[in-house]
Amino acid sequence: QVQLVESGGGLVQAGGSLRLSCLASQSIFSITVMGWYRQAPGNQRELVAKITSGGSTNYADSVKGRFTISRDNAKNTVYLSMNSLKPEDTAVYICNGERYSTRTTYWGQGTQVTVSS
């Protein structure tokens, strides 16, 4: 079982930046897709960004041009760089991994991001 631990959240003013990290307890080399989701109070969990083992990325329209996802397989870590943050980006950000070969999905506990206006 792969454990995912997020870090890097916090309180930032609108227009500011944060970089989230997701450290896996085992190698992520064979995890097909790694991603970041977010969930704000009263809202459903939504996909923010994802990256395949081959490096292909996909972003929610609301974060395109502001957020960048990357993965470092050697460090078992996935990052989410967030720039030009807006109050509406406030949410718990949750790391996700999907291993297609075994149809297994992994979730972290989440890290809070709060953007003040």
Side-chain angles (χ1 to χ4, degrees):
Q1 183 73 6
V2 177
Q3 308 295 325
L4 302 176
V5 179
E6 302 94 336
S7 62
L11 174 64
V12 64
Q13 288 188 334
S17 300
L18 283 174
R19 189 176 81 154
L20 306 182
S21 299
C22 171
L23 176 63
S25 60
Q26 301 176 25
S27 172
I28 63 171
F29 181 79
S30 64
I31 298 181
T32 315
V33 180
M34 296 293 300
W36 288 93
Y37 287 71
R38 67 186 181 188
Q39 187 165 19
N43 291 354
Q44 290 187 336
R45 187 173 294 185
E46 63 174 356
L47 175 67
V48 176
K50 59 183 179 180
I51 183 168
T52 69
S53 55
S56 297
T57 58
N58 191 29
Y59 296 92
D61 287 343
S62 58
V63 307
K64 282 181 181 177
R66 300 189 298 122
F67 291 10
T68 302
I69 189 170
S70 59
R71 63 192 285 171
D72 187 336
N73 290 341
K75 295 183 178 179
N76 300 335
T77 304
V78 177
Y79 304 98
L80 184 68
S81 295
M82 306 184 295
N83 298 316
S84 302
L85 283 162
K86 305 175 181 179
E88 51 263 43
D89 294 319
T90 295
V92 175
Y93 284 70
I94 306 158
C95 184
N96 163 270
E98 296 180 25
R99 180 177 279 127
Y100 286 1
S101 62
T102 58
R103 298 182 182 179
T104 306
T105 300
Y106 308 102
W107 291 99
Q109 293 297 310
T111 184
Q112 177 70 46
V113 172
T114 303
V115 184
S116 63
S117 57

